[in-house]
Amino acid sequence: MAALQGVLYLVLGPWLVGWVRLVKARLANRRGAPAHQPWRDLVRLFGKEARVAHTASPLFRIAPYVVFVATALAAATVPLVAVELPTAVIADIIVLAGLLALARFFLALAAMDVGTAFGGMGASREMMVSALAEPALLMGVFTVAMQAHSTNLSSVVSHQLELGLVLKPSMLFALTCLALVAVAETGRIPVDNPATHLELTMIHEAMVLEYSGRHLALMEWAGQVKLVLYGVLLVDIFLPWGIARSFEPAALAIGLGAAVIKLALLGVLLAVAESVLAKMRLFRVPALLNVALLMGLIGLLSHVILEAGA
Amino acid sequence: MNALFVMLLIPVVAAGVLALLRPWHLAAGVNVGASALGLACTAWLGWQVAAHGVVSGAGFHVDGFSMALVALTAFVGLTTAVFSRTYMRQLYDSGTVAATRMRLYHAMYQLFMFTMLLALTTDNLGVLWVAVEGATLATVLLVSLYRTSESIEAAWKYFVLCSVGIALALFGTVLTYFAAGHLGAAAVPGLSMSALHEHAAGLQPSVMSLAFVFLLVGYGTKAGLVPMHQWLPDAHSEGPAPMSAMLSGLLLNVALYAIVRVKLLVDGSLASSSNPYLAGQLLMGFGLVSFLVAAFFLHRQRDIKRLFSYSSVEHMGIVTFAFGLGGPIATFGALLHMLSHSLAKSAIFVTVGYAARIAGSQGLEHIRGLIRTQPAVGWSLVAGVAAIAGLPPFGIFAGEFLLLVATVDTRPWLAVVLLAGLVVAFAGLFRHLQPVVFGAAPEGQRPVRAAMAPVLLHLGLAAWFGLAMPGVLAGWLHGATFLISGDTLP
Amino acid sequence: MLPSTLTFMQQLVPVLAALVLFLSFVLLAQARPLSAVHAFAWQGALLAAVTVAVAAVSGHGHLYVSAFITFALKAVLIPWMLHRLIRRLALDRSVEGVASPALLNMAAVALVIFSYWLVLPIVQHESGITRNIVAISLAVVLIGLLMMVFRQQAVSQVIGFMSMENGLFLAAVSATGGMPLVVELGIAFDVLVAMVLFGVFFLEIQASIDSLDVDRLNRLHEREDESP
């Protein structure tokens, strides 16, 4: 069951990215490529030859695999269709953050490995953004975790399910905080433009500039899984209804359907935001992440002051 | 009650009239007339209070404490109005102040009187707050009357610092209301101070302690307690002389009045808690620090009005300390001190106003040889400083003496500190006074038209209070002493 | 008291109060006077909303009147007056340099924690949804004070002061279910008059030192060489 969920993530990743691109195109009055285009790109890339620069070390070849595996593992722990899976035991938010950090670490190292200017630039920018986004992520996560008295994702989701629809200031602030962090970490507008071809504006793209063939396919796939991961995280914590609590086929089907619908809606929201907002200048990004941290802090404080019922 | 309503109505009506009155030279006359009427009503009210002990109803509550201060306020208001008549005419003639500003000045003068009288007679803690804030607002524009950079800066500082302080006092008021709401008993006193005083023992100590801190910091800012006094020297020295006299003489008293009223509630509430003397200790601490800091700052002054403003801070510090010490002797001394200080300080500011006009500047090095240029002003200043510095037979000496007696009784080592501070302040004042009055007069100083009658009247009263007090006033003060300290003078 | 057992209105009160606190932070960070005025107007509107919610929950009728007065005064009238003043003083395009905004934010958070600690012994025996809002209101007051201390433009200082009054109003509503109407009216009147006077002052200050940077108002000092 757990393995099935992991595979589901891998499948959904490219679909979600394709869906977001389609909506953006439609919003821009274009017809846009069909939603399974990223799948076709991945298949095409797997078929191509992987050329590696002669200045690259073994790290360069290993990195895509490490990144992909770490991201996929992280994704597998997040409940998508059902809670209380066997992997739920390790589905700790801290573990999640750690796995993603591992992936990012290797990605940045590989970017600097070949010795090009753009790689180093992308790596340093990525590190700056993550360094600022990590505290905000942890702050938002702690706010949520304090309510469920555990950092285990399954417990958090179950707790939210039991609570029902309640308007709580701490959740509102945590939602804003995590949304901002998600945008920063997955490299979407207004932090980074995933469709840019101008190297000086790249953050994530600059790091994978040197890859080709199956290596590039793995890197792209990992990025897409990361997007689904963050999306599911947001959806799980704040809008968890529909998730299956048992393993009956009917419940699982409902869970799957609910997850897909929610992800689709989130995709539309993301596409609209990307169309409306402009990419921020790089030195303004810390201000945005400061806001995210502040929101997380206020959420935490709201929880302690307003809800904990001392 | 009629006396009370009429007394409060007169300044409001006068303010309205003065705001609309075009020929401003009538305004001064209206001002004096309104103040005289107000004083007459105050006398009427005073007679009622003397007869019945307390006049209360419809949200007002006038007991001995309030009445003494009300009488003082009305009296000083009248004498200052008389002084202001000649003084402001001179200012207008010399072109310092324009006609529209004169209208503003006179209208605000009466409004200021109204807010002070309201603060002193109301029973509602919230209305007290509104009135004290109103007094600040009424005088802010008057401090910047001359429209120089310095006066605008002083007025801005005054406005901002006092508003912030007052806002904190409002939080304290809200907390008090909160405590009142949880009395649990059948009676819901709301914000009525007299009712709260009766039920004080039922107020939660933790809430009232926090409320008192906020109220002390808030109203203490208005009273000029260190370290919230930063606005005082600037505001009192930059405004016109009548305004300085009123601010120093009257508004500080109103702020202290508010603090003492609140202290009564807090004492009642904390009486059975772990730290029953918290209010007194806080008052003593702030008072002592204010007193010492001001006494030392007196020596550094270069401007004559700032000198006396710091003297105001010093005296308010002593009075606060005395109220904090508690006990009938110290309390009676504090009340006597409050009255005498108002009289003497307003007299001094009037005299200093004339002195500054003689010398053409407020700087201490420019004002010299007043005795030779205009003996009336010179000798009045000497008498005024003697009164302020605490020489007998003036009332301040009596007040300080009583305080020292009480301090020696309870905390002897603090009496040493007090004495040392008094010596420092004394030295500071006379050190500056000597060249100002007795030095060689510079060239070209002419005497000015000075109506010294108010000054002499004030100083005479201050001396009289020091020696023997009229029975009615003594009755009020004794009543106040009993109310505040729970005991009568031995 | 689990939030899920409360009615919608009762849930709304802490949410709105938290938003008021958030707006305090937003106010602190604004560099342009006009955006600060807008943030202040929003804070006033939210304050009125909190009052309405508390009125709906507790059933005190006079709170509706208070809410209306607050909205009219703090969300409409005073922001309008400030707007006009800023236009008149030609400040609408100025940007004030806020010294170290990160440090200010941290100080503000510390103030929130401090006010919570301060208020805790008072409200822990309370019941009722509004008890924890007292900490929020004190935090808003203290953050307003912080804003007054660390901003150099007179307009920002005035907005900080008005924000303090917002916090005080919230305290009154949350701790005591609203002060007596007489007192509320008096306070509102005082705030309005204060605003008018601030307006007059801005014009005087600008006429005097040709800027509204109050750090430049520093001629009254106790310097040895001062000659008035």
Side-chain angles (χ1 to χ4, degrees):
Chain A
M1 189 58 233
L4 191 59
Q5 187 169 261
V7 168
L8 207 54
Y9 269 108
L10 296 181
V11 167
L12 280 177
W15 273 103
L16 183 63
V17 172
W19 169 246
V20 172
R21 282 190 203 159
L22 180 60
V23 176
K24 266 172 88 170
R26 287 290 161 87
L27 283 173
N29 236 350
R30 292 181 281 123
R31 283 186 60 187
H36 60 272
Q37 183 61 31
W39 265 116
R40 291 160 78 172
D41 287 335
L42 281 179
V43 167
R44 178 173 52 92
L45 281 174
F46 270 118
K48 295 216 173 190
E49 181 192 356
R51 299 281 293 174
V52 174
H54 58 86
T55 55
S57 69
L59 179 74
F60 191 77
R61 292 170 207 269
I62 304 175
Y65 297 101
V66 175
V67 169
F68 182 72
V69 166
T71 316
L73 209 59
T77 63
V78 179
L80 173 64
V81 179
V83 288
E84 285 157 36
L85 293 173
T87 51
V89 188
I90 61 159
D92 195 285
I93 302 184
I94 314 280
V95 171
L96 190 72
L99 281 171
L100 288 172
L102 184 71
R104 185 169 45 240
F105 175 63
F106 271 94
L107 186 58
L109 273 185
M112 294 193 288
D113 189 58
V114 190
T116 62
F118 293 130
M121 181 188 81
S124 70
R125 287 177 174 183
E126 170 74 22
M127 278 307 159
M128 177 191 82
V129 169
S130 327
L132 294 171
E134 284 287 310
L137 172 69
L138 287 175
M139 201 56 70
V141 151
F142 279 147
T143 309
V144 172
M146 272 185 86
Q147 313 213 2
H149 302 288
S150 142
T151 51
N152 189 305
L153 265 175
S154 293
S155 319
V156 169
V157 177
S158 313
H159 178 85
Q160 284 297 106
L161 278 173
E162 275 160 39
L163 228 40
L165 176 58
V166 184
L167 207 57
K168 280 198 266 188
S170 60
M171 292 308 258
L172 277 174
F173 285 118
L175 175 61
T176 330
C177 165
L178 286 176
L180 285 172
V181 167
V183 161
E185 287 274 357
T186 52
R188 313 298 299 187
I189 290 175
V191 174
D192 179 21
N193 187 351
T196 185
H197 58 279
L198 303 165
E199 290 88 352
L200 286 176
T201 64
M202 290 178 180
I203 298 182
H204 180 263
E205 296 302 315
M207 292 192 285
V208 299
L209 214 51
E210 292 295 319
Y211 281 110
S212 53
R214 62 177 183 281
H215 295 154
L216 183 58
L218 285 175
M219 286 295 206
E220 293 282 327
W221 208 354
Q224 290 155 357
V225 170
K226 200 168 168 185
L227 184 64
V228 184
L229 176 84
Y230 272 103
V232 173
L233 203 62
L234 280 177
V235 157
D236 264 355
I237 298 179
F238 299 102
L239 303 162
W241 307 283
I243 239 186
R245 318 268 302 258
S246 58
F247 291 135
E248 296 152 25
L252 287 176
I254 295 178
L256 183 61
V260 167
I261 293 177
K262 283 185 266 182
L263 279 176
L265 280 172
L266 211 61
V268 169
L269 215 62
L270 182 62
V272 169
E274 291 209 320
S275 305
V276 167
L277 294 170
K279 179 170 128 49
M280 282 172 106
R281 299 183 65 177
L282 191 65
F283 64 85
R284 305 288 293 269
V285 171
L288 181 71
L289 292 170
N290 256 340
V291 170
L293 178 62
L294 196 63
M295 293 285 225
L297 258 176
I298 298 183
L300 194 62
L301 286 172
S302 305
H303 174 71
V304 170
I305 295 179
L306 288 173
E307 299 158 9
Chain B
M1 284 310 298
N2 290 333
L4 183 59
F5 288 138
V6 175
M7 183 187 78
L8 285 175
L9 207 57
I10 290 178
V12 180
V13 169
V17 166
L18 285 167
L20 300 168
L21 201 63
R22 284 269 157 180
W24 77 269
H25 40 270
L26 286 181
V30 172
N31 200 8
V32 173
S35 306
L37 271 178
L39 184 61
C41 283
T42 311
W44 179 17
L45 181 64
W47 179 70
Q48 285 187 339
V49 172
H52 305 289
V54 163
V55 169
S56 72
F60 292 97
H61 180 87
V62 184
D63 57 17
F65 189 22
S66 315
M67 195 58 228
L69 288 174
V70 165
L72 179 73
T73 306
F75 177 70
V76 174
L78 175 61
T79 52
T80 313
V82 170
F83 160 62
S84 133
R85 196 152 160 241
T86 38
Y87 189 80
M88 294 310 274
R89 158 149 303 266
Q90 290 173 3
L91 278 183
Y92 180 75
D93 288 339
S94 68
T96 324
V97 182
T100 38
R101 303 230 113 203
M102 283 296 188
R103 262 167 61 195
L104 177 74
Y105 170 79
H106 286 110
M108 287 299 167
Y109 189 103
Q110 284 300 321
L111 212 54
F112 182 41
M113 290 294 295
F114 167 68
T115 51
M116 282 198 291
L117 290 174
L118 181 63
L120 289 172
T121 54
T122 181
D123 190 30
N124 187 314
L125 206 56
V127 175
L128 174 64
W129 184 89
V130 172
V132 175
E133 166 84 338
T136 312
L137 294 175
T139 46
V140 149
L141 280 180
L142 298 183
V143 172
S144 69
L145 199 70
Y146 293 153
R147 279 214 163 167
T148 60
S149 303
E150 284 89 1
S151 63
I152 293 180
E153 178 193 339
W156 176 254
K157 237 169 149 177
Y158 174 40
F159 199 1
V160 169
L161 282 175
C162 282
S163 298
V164 168
I166 281 285
L168 293 176
L170 183 58
F171 190 73
T173 312
V174 169
L175 280 178
T176 312
Y177 191 45
F178 174 74
H182 289 83
L183 273 181
V188 179
L191 279 171
S192 155
M193 285 195 283
S194 44
L196 280 174
H197 189 52
E198 277 172 37
H199 295 94
L203 295 167
Q204 272 176 290
S206 55
V207 180
M208 289 311 285
S209 323
L210 191 63
F212 185 68
V213 171
F214 275 103
L215 283 164
L216 181 59
V217 169
Y219 286 126
T221 311
K222 289 286 317 170
L225 295 177
V226 172
M228 293 94 61
H229 71 290
Q230 307 288 349
W231 59 272
L232 207 154
D234 297 333
H236 286 201
S237 58
E238 290 298 327
M243 201 36 54
S244 309
M246 300 261 279
L247 284 175
S248 254
L250 299 178
L251 192 51
L252 299 181
N253 279 348
V254 173
L256 268 184
Y257 167 83
I259 295 179
V260 172
R261 283 282 185 205
V262 173
K263 175 175 180 285
L264 292 180
L265 296 177
V266 175
D267 277 346
S269 154
L270 288 179
S272 50
S273 78
S274 57
N275 188 3
Y277 300 113
L278 178 68
Q281 286 166 349
L282 278 175
L283 281 177
M284 280 204 289
F286 271 103
L288 200 58
V289 169
S290 306
F291 169 57
L292 291 173
V293 167
F296 279 101
F297 263 82
L298 275 177
H299 288 262
R300 289 187 52 180
Q301 295 314 308
R302 302 254 169 280
D303 177 308
I304 194 168
K305 276 172 141 184
R306 282 180 84 95
L307 176 71
F308 289 113
S309 312
Y310 272 105
S311 164
S312 294
V313 174
E314 178 217 335
H315 284 282
M316 285 301 128
I318 298 180
V319 175
T320 312
F321 178 81
F323 277 125
L325 195 60
I329 303 181
T331 310
F332 188 83
L335 291 167
L336 185 59
H337 195 133
M338 272 170 92
L339 294 181
S340 318
H341 172 258
S342 295
L343 291 168
K345 191 49 71 69
S346 41
I348 287 186
F349 269 110
V350 167
T351 316
V352 162
Y354 285 131
R357 288 206 59 85
I358 292 176
S361 139
Q362 283 179 206
L364 278 169
E365 58 270 8
H366 297 288
I367 308 179
R368 287 264 184 275
L370 285 176
I371 287 282
R372 304 180 210 299
T373 318
Q374 190 165 0
V377 171
W379 283 115
S380 308
L381 192 56
V382 172
V385 173
I388 276 292
L391 287 176
F394 292 102
I396 293 190
F397 169 75
E400 287 174 359
F401 181 73
L402 286 173
L403 173 61
L404 280 171
V405 165
T407 318
V408 166
D409 253 350
T410 48
R411 288 159 210 263
W413 49 277
L414 272 183
V416 174
V417 176
L418 270 181
L419 268 174
L422 284 171
V423 168
V424 170
F426 193 91
L429 282 172
F430 273 101
R431 186 183 129 205
H432 288 296
L433 181 73
Q434 214 272 340
V436 163
V437 177
F438 296 110
E443 293 293 317
Q445 278 193 349
R446 301 253 164 283
V448 297
R449 265 186 58 199
M452 298 308 287
V455 175
L456 296 174
L457 191 54
H458 279 208
L459 291 175
L461 276 176
W464 184 22
F465 288 167
L467 295 170
M469 215 186 270
V472 170
L473 188 59
W476 290 334
L477 288 188
H478 281 296
T481 310
F482 180 67
L483 176 70
I484 299 173
S485 65
D487 209 353
T488 47
L489 270 183
Chain C
M1 183 188 294
L2 265 190
S4 55
T5 58
L6 304 176
T7 65
F8 175 65
M9 271 300 178
Q10 285 175 320
Q11 289 171 17
L12 205 54
V13 173
V15 172
L16 290 173
L19 283 175
V20 169
L21 181 64
F22 172 61
L23 275 173
S24 261
F25 279 92
V26 169
L27 256 183
L28 200 58
Q30 290 310 310
R32 290 173 213 274
L34 273 183
S35 44
V37 172
H38 291 152
F40 170 71
W42 272 107
Q43 199 180 41
L46 277 173
L47 207 58
V50 171
T51 316
V52 167
V54 172
V57 166
S58 64
H60 290 145
H62 70 269
L63 277 180
Y64 287 112
V65 179
S66 299
F68 176 70
I69 296 177
T70 306
F71 185 76
L73 194 64
K74 299 203 174 144
V76 176
L77 191 58
I78 290 186
W80 176 74
M81 288 167 82
L82 279 168
H83 227 245
R84 244 186 31 166
L85 266 173
I86 293 178
R87 284 267 154 72
R88 208 162 146 193
L89 295 167
L91 278 180
D92 34 353
R93 283 178 223 288
S94 78
V95 172
E96 177 190 347
V98 181
S100 61
L103 224 58
L104 271 183
N105 272 334
M106 286 205 286
V109 171
L111 281 175
V112 174
I113 299 177
F114 171 68
S115 28
Y116 177 59
W117 172 79
L118 204 60
V119 168
L120 194 57
I122 296 178
V123 291
Q124 62 189 9
H125 302 299
E126 286 302 297
S127 61
I129 44 153
T130 53
R131 63 181 176 132
N132 289 319
I133 302 186
V134 181
I136 301 266
S137 57
L138 184 57
V140 173
V141 171
L142 290 177
I143 294 179
L145 190 57
L146 188 72
M147 192 170 167
M148 285 186 87
V149 169
F150 281 103
R151 299 294 218 110
Q152 291 128 353
Q153 288 283 336
V155 182
S156 313
Q157 289 187 345
V158 166
I159 296 183
F161 172 70
M162 291 295 168
S163 156
M164 273 179 91
E165 293 280 338
N166 275 353
L168 289 171
F169 182 76
L170 188 61
V173 164
S174 64
T176 62
M179 305 267 267
L181 205 54
V182 164
V183 178
E184 294 249 350
L185 282 173
I187 296 176
F189 182 68
D190 268 345
V191 170
L192 186 61
V193 172
M195 188 60 235
V196 170
L197 287 178
F198 275 127
V200 172
F201 255 100
F202 288 159
L203 297 170
E204 287 196 357
I205 292 179
Q206 204 184 42
S208 155
I209 59 172
D210 208 26
S211 102
L212 274 182
D213 188 350
V214 281
D215 269 357
R216 298 207 204 158
L217 284 177
N218 58 2
R219 298 175 60 162
L220 287 175
H221 270 185
E222 321 238 322
R223 284 192 299 266
E224 294 297 323
D225 53 312
E226 181 195 333
S227 53

